[in-house]
Amino acid sequence: MSTLHTVNKSPFEKNSLADCLGYAKEGSAVLMYEDGVYGAMKGNAVAEKVAAASGVKFYALGPDLKARGISEEKLAEGIEVVDYAGFVNLAVENDKVSAWV
Amino acid sequence: MSETIKKFMYLNRRAPYGTIYAWESLEVVLIGAAFDQDVSLAFIGDGVYQLLEGQDTSESGMKNFSTTYKALGDYDVTKLYVEKESLEERGLTLDDLMPLTWEDEDDDWAEKDSIRLVSRDELADVLDDQDIVYSF
Amino acid sequence: MKFAIQVNEGPYQHQATDSAYQFAKAALDAGHEIMRVFFYHDGVNNGTNLTTPPQDDRNIVNRWSELGKAHDLDLVVCVAAAQRRGIVDEGEMQRNGKDAQNIADGFRISGLGQLIEAGIQSERLVVFGD
């Protein structure tokens, strides 16, 4: 089964991203949205962990990046930006959604 | 109540009492028990604190709902996965948790442990196998 | 695809209900079905008709009511969580001896069974919380 994992909290506020990465298996997708988009930025303390998650595809929600003033150049490599329609597609394409709140 | 049987996972990552999530998620589990689905609970991170033995709320003015976990076996909720790493990080062992059991009618009503101590990797496989995940 | 949505937080305090709303809108625009939006924990506060947010900001409650009306959505507020937090409809008002009701347009109060049923009947459950 492929899972869409969602993370909506900053990795510096809560350990939801860390928890999620421990459970995201190869072939799954992780969408960072709301304050979770801070986890998608390059050069921060969690960037290595994100880069090390092999076989996992990372996404960040565009509207939430924009709201927080995070331009796409500030994102870590390999993070794909999606909008809400993209969020919906990810939910459809994967077999289930697992929310790490 | 329904012909579809799905694998239901209730994901618990928060400690009890500081917020209501632990208690209100248990209320979902209890109501959900009537729907005959294939139910599992996962206790990860601070969620493991929900199962700590010896909770006494008498001086805090809050309702002690820890006894409700003991009743889960009677509701056919018998798969409580506790993440080993989360216990260890918190300096806890299985002995610190409530002894939760259920009676297996297919095995002469033998009393069995409801708590399944699993590693993160093992629990990841369990989670992967589920049809639906409720988060609180 | 048939979706079910769970909203665990109240309006304005957390972004959860905004995200849920935007997701719901996008799903409906793409032609998907949303069989139920279930409001739990503080999420029940999305169902009060007594909010007066500032004019220059989104009206979260009305937004849900309008989306609900436009697409015939089932917006369900959990009865147990609602009783704790004071979201009341006509029935609850009579049953619990309250002198007012405040359930917003298009929302209804019902039991947790509706959340379980949504999980069983939908193809995807998406949870928005904090």
Side-chain angles (χ1 to χ4, degrees), chain A residues 30-46:
Chain A
V30 174
L31 170 70
M32 297 183 240
Y33 74 110
E34 293 180 9
D35 289 345
V37 297
Y38 294 116
M41 294 177 78
K42 65 182 168 205
N44 64 24
V46 299

Side-chain angles (χ1 to χ4, degrees), chain C residues 14-67:
Chain C
H14 296 95
Q15 196 183 351
T17 184
D18 289 276
S19 299
Y21 172 82
Q22 299 297 350
F23 181 94
K25 203 149 137 303
L28 291 164
D29 285 345
H32 297 293
E33 181 194 339
I34 297 185
M35 67 152 296
R36 185 163 295 141
V37 183
F38 192 88
F39 296 88
Y40 197 42
H41 303 307
D42 277 352
V44 301
N45 290 318
N46 285 283
T48 171
N49 66 7
L50 295 180
T51 69
T52 312
Q55 298 276 5
D56 65 348
D57 198 354
R58 75 266 196 231
N59 189 317
I60 290 180
V61 175
N62 288 358
R63 212 167 55 169
W64 275 118
S65 295
E66 281 153 24
L67 192 72

Side-chain angles (χ1 to χ4, degrees), chain B residues 68-94:
Chain B
T68 310
Y69 294 97
K70 301 187 176 165
L72 289 177
D74 297 333
Y75 283 76
D76 280 334
V77 176
T78 63
K79 295 188 276 193
L80 274 56
Y81 293 94
V82 171
E83 195 208 64
K84 201 178 291 178
E85 289 86 340
S86 292
L87 278 185
E88 285 166 5
E89 277 163 16
R90 289 157 181 74
L92 301 171
T93 67
L94 214 50

Side-chain angles (χ1 to χ4, degrees), chain B residues 109-124:
Chain B
W109 300 102
E111 200 176 43
K112 298 187 174 166
D113 288 324
S114 305
I115 292 182
R116 300 171 182 213
L117 192 62
V118 287
S119 68
R120 185 166 295 147
D121 282 343
E122 288 167 333
L123 191 45

Side-chain angles (χ1 to χ4, degrees), chain C residues 60-97:
Chain C
I60 290 180
V61 175
N62 288 358
R63 212 167 55 169
W64 275 118
S65 295
E66 281 153 24
L67 192 72
K69 198 170 185 183
H71 296 274
D72 197 27
L73 297 183
D74 190 20
L75 306 177
V76 180
V77 160
C78 170
V79 60
Q83 284 174 348
R84 285 195 173 100
R85 296 161 178 82
I87 304 300
V88 180
D89 64 7
E90 172 91 45
E92 285 292 293
M93 189 176 82
Q94 309 289 0
R95 255 190 301 275
N96 302 310

Side-chain angles (χ1 to χ4, degrees), chain B:
Chain B
M1 265 203 204
S2 98
E3 287 178 15
T4 326
I5 296 187
K6 283 188 174 176
K7 293 201 182 80
F8 270 41
M9 170 57 81
Y10 297 99
L11 187 56
N12 296 286
R13 291 171 49 237
R14 302 205 227 230
Y17 306 113
T19 56
I20 203 174
Y21 302 103
W23 168 234
E24 283 192 328
S25 80
L26 211 47
E27 290 195 303
V28 182
V29 175
L30 293 173
I31 297 284
F35 286 76
D36 294 325
Q37 300 298 298
D38 183 356
V39 172
S40 299
L41 275 59
F43 297 87
I44 295 173
D46 280 357
V48 304
Y49 288 128
Q50 293 181 29
L51 302 178
L52 229 48
E53 174 73 280
Q55 295 175 32
D56 173 3
T57 61
S58 56
E59 290 174 29
S60 70
M62 299 173 74
K63 176 178 162 174
N64 185 345
F65 63 91
S66 60
T67 44
T68 310
Y69 294 97
K70 301 187 176 165
L72 289 177
D74 297 333
Y75 283 76
D76 280 334
V77 176
T78 63
K79 295 188 276 193
L80 274 56
Y81 293 94
V82 171
E83 195 208 64
K84 201 178 291 178
E85 289 86 340
S86 292
L87 278 185
E88 285 166 5
E89 277 163 16
R90 289 157 181 74
L92 301 171
T93 67
L94 214 50
D95 291 335
D96 293 304
L97 306 184
M98 292 182 276
L100 304 177
T101 58
W102 62 288
E103 287 168 351
D104 189 349
E105 66 172 295
D106 295 329
D107 192 4
D108 207 27
W109 300 102
E111 200 176 43
K112 298 187 174 166
D113 288 324
S114 305
I115 292 182
R116 300 171 182 213
L117 192 62
V118 287
S119 68
R120 185 166 295 147
D121 282 343
E122 288 167 333
L123 191 45
D125 283 338
V126 172
L127 231 57
D128 197 49
D129 196 37
Q130 302 301 307
D131 294 310
I132 172 168
V133 180
Y134 286 95
S135 303
F136 304 96

